[in-house]
Amino acid sequence: MESTTQQCLSLAVSTVVFALRPHPSTGRTTPWLPLVRRIREPYEGLWALPGGPLEDDQDLADSAGATLLRTTGLAPRHLEQLYAFGNVDRSPGERVVSIVYWALVRRDEDARAIDGDNVEWFVADDVHGLAFDHDVIVRYALDRLRAKITYSPIAHAFVTDEFTLAQLREVYEAVLGRALDPANFRRQILAQGAVEPTGRHVTGTSHRPPALYRSNPAHSRHSLTIEETS
Amino acid sequence: MESTTQQCLSLAVSTVVFALRPHPSTGRTTPWLPLVRRIREPYEGLWALPGGPLEDDQDLADSAGATLLRTTGLAPRHLEQLYAFGNVDRSPGERVVSIVYWALVRRDEDARAIDGDNVEWFVADDVHGLAFDHDVIVRYALDRLRAKITYSPIAHAFVTDEFTLAQLREVYEAVLGRALDPANFRRQILAQGAVEPTGRHVTGTSHRPPALYRSNPAHSRHSLTIEETS
């Protein structure tokens, strides 16, 4: 039975936004995420996930989207609930439960600049020393991304509506952090049916232009065993 | 950035506990769940998921477990976070966000009686008219259970430590609500490596006693395409 708590606790909504970009050292494409520098205590001066208090009059996802827009200028088309973090000691001095959303942004969405002096993009695997338990949250989100890409079509969220199989493979390689054999990848991805040919090809590029594919809307879930290159 | 909400909102933790039992009409094994009759407003007299306010001094899962034990007498060995439900209008007169856990209980755990005059088990697919948005939550949990059983080893949560392939197949059949071809199931389940033979057999039953299997701890995730019987 639900009933009212007597004490006043805080509920925050935060968002992990992943985009794929080249790593500044290695040049290999890898997940990045935007962080916001805290301008007040607790953890003043540290970087944190974009977020804020749950708004009184907004559903959870709406509130996450609004606070993300306000703090970073980003408005990803799709936010999905990731997990609620609510350990007793995660915020000093008060009980704060944070409901965390995540978003995967496409190459063309990512092109928009983030907005604000205290907002920057970071290589997701390299961040540490964030405010609150946000190191744990980023790690959890990365683990979920790497697991989910192997059994669902979320890779499609990183490409444009029409894409080549090479572009899709690059998404898997960036997320999984390893090279995939192009022929095996092609065979597996076509066998599981989550993409379908558009009948069109990339124009004006080469003698044999690559075919363009799109998500197969009839295929809501797939399963893909990624084979490593030898 | 996380910061404090000014208003006081309530945070509840509730749990969907699934056990597999025969349907009273059809006799086919199907998911059941315990519900608690509300003894105060709002929704006095209606059935609701077991739950209660988040305890001040407890982490989310601990609080969900404690309130489940207090309201039903059940203490499943494994609680997993399912989803946070927080629509503005889900509870009359106040804003309540509910973080919902789920538990899958084994045949031998399920044998323990639930405790309390206002607690009963119901066929999960048949419940409706619950308090709050709990109809939506039960439907969400069933959908998640039916999706997740196809790509993860959660079916093992419904059987004892050692089980026959027939027992495991009965779990899939109960959750998916359809008969599976025994030979195909056997081939698929062995191919994906989530179970391993114990070397032992069921004793004292027949001329050719069935082999006993256990979960393969090295296999944290699997993928299984369920083929329907013809």
Side-chain angles (χ1 to χ4, degrees), chain A residues 1 51 58-59 81 84 95 223, chain B residues 1 51 58 81 84 88 95 223:
Chain A
M1 289 163 286
Q58 290 181 326
D59 293 342
Q81 195 183 107
R95 182 78 187 266
S223 164
Chain B
M1 289 163 286
Q58 290 182 325
Q81 195 184 108
V88 170
R95 182 79 186 266
S223 164

Side-chain angles (χ1 to χ4, degrees), chain A residues 2-222:
Chain A
E2 302 194 3
S3 56
T4 318
T5 48
Q6 294 313 305
Q7 86 285 7
C8 199
L9 62 79
S10 300
L11 216 153
V13 282
S14 299
T15 304
V16 180
V17 179
F18 285 130
L20 302 181
R21 299 174 162 190
H23 192 286
S25 311
T26 66
R28 296 172 73 156
T29 306
T30 191
W32 291 61
L33 85 175
L35 297 173
V36 179
R37 196 196 302 269
R38 288 187 58 80
I39 54 173
R40 56 176 166 265
E41 295 294 343
Y43 300 112
E44 184 176 350
L46 295 194
W47 295 94
L49 292 169
L54 174 66
E55 295 296 330
D56 238 356
D57 56 348
Q58 290 181 326
D59 293 342
L60 299 177
D62 294 341
S63 188
T67 192
L68 180 65
L69 181 64
R70 191 174 62 246
T71 53
T72 67
L74 292 168
R77 68 184 70 189
H78 184 67
L79 286 176
E80 186 182 346
Q81 195 183 107
L82 180 67
Y83 202 75
F85 293 83
N87 278 359
V88 170
D89 60 357
R90 63 181 293 279
S91 184
E94 60 170 350
R95 182 78 187 266
V96 183
V97 173
S98 189
I99 299 180
V100 179
Y101 280 74
W102 65 336
L104 311 180
V105 304
R106 289 157 49 142
R107 194 180 295 250
D108 48 343
E109 289 186 288
D110 183 27
R112 278 184 303 181
I114 53 176
D115 181 22
D117 291 343
N118 289 303
V119 191
E120 277 180 33
W121 287 89
F122 293 84
V123 173
D125 279 303
D126 295 351
V127 298
H128 57 88
L130 303 186
F132 305 104
D133 55 355
H134 291 190
D135 284 4
V136 173
I137 297 176
V138 170
R139 170 56 44 198
Y140 181 90
L142 277 168
D143 288 348
R144 180 80 77 95
L145 176 65
R146 287 175 174 139
K148 197 165 179 182
I149 203 171
T150 67
Y151 65 80
S152 91
I154 55 165
H156 302 176
F158 286 117
V159 291
T160 46
D161 289 342
E162 300 195 353
F163 47 85
T164 67
L165 292 185
Q167 287 169 339
L168 192 61
R169 176 168 48 79
E170 284 161 13
V171 169
Y172 279 88
E173 291 178 333
V175 168
L176 296 171
R178 61 174 196 256
L180 300 173
D181 179 71
N184 280 345
F185 178 81
R186 176 187 178 83
R187 181 176 50 75
Q188 292 174 30
I189 215 83
L190 293 179
Q192 38 94 340
V195 304
E196 60 185 14
T198 63
R200 287 181 288 278
H201 292 76
V202 177
T203 51
T205 53
S206 68
H207 180 58
R208 292 183 57 191
L212 287 166
Y213 292 80
R214 63 181 164 231
S215 296
N216 178 0
H219 191 98
S220 63
R221 199 190 64 73
H222 74 229

Side-chain angles (χ1 to χ4, degrees), chain B residues 108-148:
Chain B
D108 49 342
E109 288 185 288
D110 182 28
R112 277 184 304 179
I114 53 177
D115 182 21
D117 292 343
N118 290 302
V119 191
E120 277 180 33
W121 286 88
F122 293 84
V123 173
D125 280 302
D126 294 350
V127 298
H128 58 88
L130 303 185
F132 306 104
D133 55 355
H134 291 189
D135 283 3
V136 173
I137 296 176
V138 170
R139 170 56 44 197
Y140 182 90
L142 277 168
D143 288 348
R144 180 80 78 93
L145 176 64
R146 288 176 173 139
K148 197 166 180 182

Side-chain angles (χ1 to χ4, degrees), chain B residues 2 63 145 210 226:
Chain B
E2 302 193 5
S63 188
L145 176 64
I226 300 294

